[in-house]
Amino acid sequence: MNGLIEVLQNRILMTGIFSWFTAQILKTIIHMFTNKEFDIRRMVGDGGMPSCHSATVTAVAITTGYECGFSSPLFAIAGILAIIVMHDAMGVRLETGTHAKLLNEMITLFEALGQKQVSVETKLKEFVGHTPMQVLVGFLWGFLVAWAANRWMF
């Protein structure tokens, strides 16, 4: 039981989880308004506005700075990890989603041309990466959550 209490008292972990959860809620709401439909899968899905990965790693890095000092080795590690995650979201993961969309369109075209069962797989997942704006908004959300948590919650 003490282990669970210690985990729940870990401000860095809790701020990261809270930032991720609230960013997922924001993403679901934004998707609902822009697409005029509610899709509960947006609560756990990748891609979209804001980047929940960016929000999470930013909140973890900033809270680590508040907890351990912004000149500490732990903040340096958390900050570099955040940069890598955000760069990856805009690079490889975004490109993967673009390729998946193109391949899905090709499969649909082949099927429309009469090709029988081009693929036994389901459609490829297209929402896997983020635009720079989605990453920026995720970064800002994570920063805001970490700042607010440090100021008012802890």
Side-chain angles (χ1 to χ4, degrees), residues 7-19 145 154:
V7 167
L8 294 174
Q9 291 175 341
N10 184 321
R11 296 189 321 170
I12 296 169
L13 178 64
M14 290 296 107
T15 302
I17 290 171
F18 183 76
S19 181
V145 167
F154 303 117

Side-chain angles (χ1 to χ4, degrees), residues 27-71:
K27 181 192 319 191
T28 303
I29 292 168
I30 290 169
H31 182 270
M32 183 175 65
F33 281 110
T34 57
N35 294 292
K36 312 257 188 292
E37 69 175 4
F38 178 73
D39 184 359
I40 192 68
R41 293 174 296 178
R42 296 295 0 163
M43 275 298 294
V44 292
D46 296 327
M49 172 69 88
S51 165
C52 298
H53 292 89
S54 299
T56 303
V57 295
T58 300
V60 166
I62 298 301
T63 306
T64 299
Y66 282 129
E67 286 281 308
C68 304
F70 287 97
S71 63

Side-chain angles (χ1 to χ4, degrees), residues 72-100:
S72 71
L74 290 176
F75 173 72
I77 292 167
I80 293 297
L81 177 64
I83 291 168
I84 291 169
V85 168
M86 289 185 277
H87 182 268
D88 183 64
M90 290 185 298
V92 174
R93 287 181 50 230
L94 181 61
E95 195 64 29
T96 300
T98 303
H99 290 164

Side-chain angles (χ1 to χ4, degrees), residues 71-127:
S71 63
S72 71
L74 290 176
F75 173 72
I77 292 167
I80 293 297
L81 177 64
I83 291 168
I84 291 169
V85 168
M86 289 185 277
H87 182 268
D88 183 64
M90 290 185 298
V92 174
R93 287 181 50 230
L94 181 61
E95 195 64 29
T96 300
T98 303
H99 290 164
K101 184 175 182 177
L102 177 62
L103 289 171
N104 286 335
E105 289 172 2
M106 289 172 62
I107 289 170
T108 301
L109 175 64
F110 290 148
E111 289 173 345
L113 293 173
Q115 182 72 28
K116 299 287 185 204
Q117 201 171 26
V118 174
S119 172
V120 295
E121 301 292 323
T122 58
K123 285 184 76 173
L124 297 171
K125 192 161 117 175
E126 297 176 11
F127 279 120

